[in-house]
Amino acid sequence: VQLQASGGGLVQAGESLALSCAASGLFIEYYYIGWFRQAPGKEREGVSCSGDSGTYYADSVKGRFTISRDSVKNTAYLQMNNLKSEDTGVYYCAAMPRSWATRCRLRDYDYDSWGQGTQVTVSS
């Protein structure tokens, strides 16, 4: 099982980035996909997750970030708009089998497969 996160970079505040999470060894349609981030010196936090039960967002990103997936491409996405300096961090995608829960949650310990992370830096 491999999750490959990509799309990070350095942007100015107010700009956008689109992250991708390409999966191999699993079919994302059978998994909840979560996005997490970790800022320097801080704990990892949940950003968004999705599954057939709906999509969920951390309050800090609601209205700015959108999670989606393409089952044909076996890839999940995180569109990030109106980025702020506090969005800076390493972003990780993660997968959890849908059979494990009735909905996804923004708790990293729920997820058993993780990507390597992609750096997002937002300058103000």
Side-chain angles (χ1 to χ4, degrees):
V1 175
Q2 185 176 16
L3 298 173
Q4 183 76 32
S6 62
L10 171 64
V11 297
Q12 300 281 337
E15 294 183 339
S16 299
L17 276 176
L19 304 184
S20 298
C21 176
S24 59
L26 63 85
F27 294 108
I28 63 171
E29 62 186 286
Y30 300 121
Y31 286 76
Y32 296 117
I33 299 296
W35 285 95
F36 296 80
R37 66 187 180 189
Q38 187 166 21
K42 295 187 177 181
E43 294 186 353
R44 186 162 56 191
E45 63 172 346
V47 174
S48 181
C49 69
S50 78
D52 57 351
S53 57
T55 58
Y56 302 89
Y57 298 93
D59 288 344
S60 59
V61 307
K62 280 181 182 177
R64 301 188 297 120
F65 289 14
T66 303
I67 191 172
S68 63
R69 62 174 69 195
D70 184 331
S71 295
V72 174
K73 294 183 179 180
N74 211 31
T75 300
Y77 305 95
L78 185 69
Q79 176 66 41
M80 307 186 295
N81 298 329
N82 190 22
L83 282 161
K84 304 176 180 180
S85 57
E86 52 263 43
D87 295 319
T88 293
V90 179
Y91 282 69
Y92 301 89
C93 58
M96 174 179 70
R98 282 169 38 188
S99 59
W100 286 9
T102 56
R103 54 157 283 188
C104 66
R105 297 185 186 276
L106 301 179
R107 305 180 307 199
D108 57 2
Y109 54 82
D110 284 339
Y111 296 78
D112 69 333
S113 298
W114 288 83
Q116 84 291 358
T118 184
Q119 176 69 46
V120 172
T121 304
V122 184
S123 63
S124 57

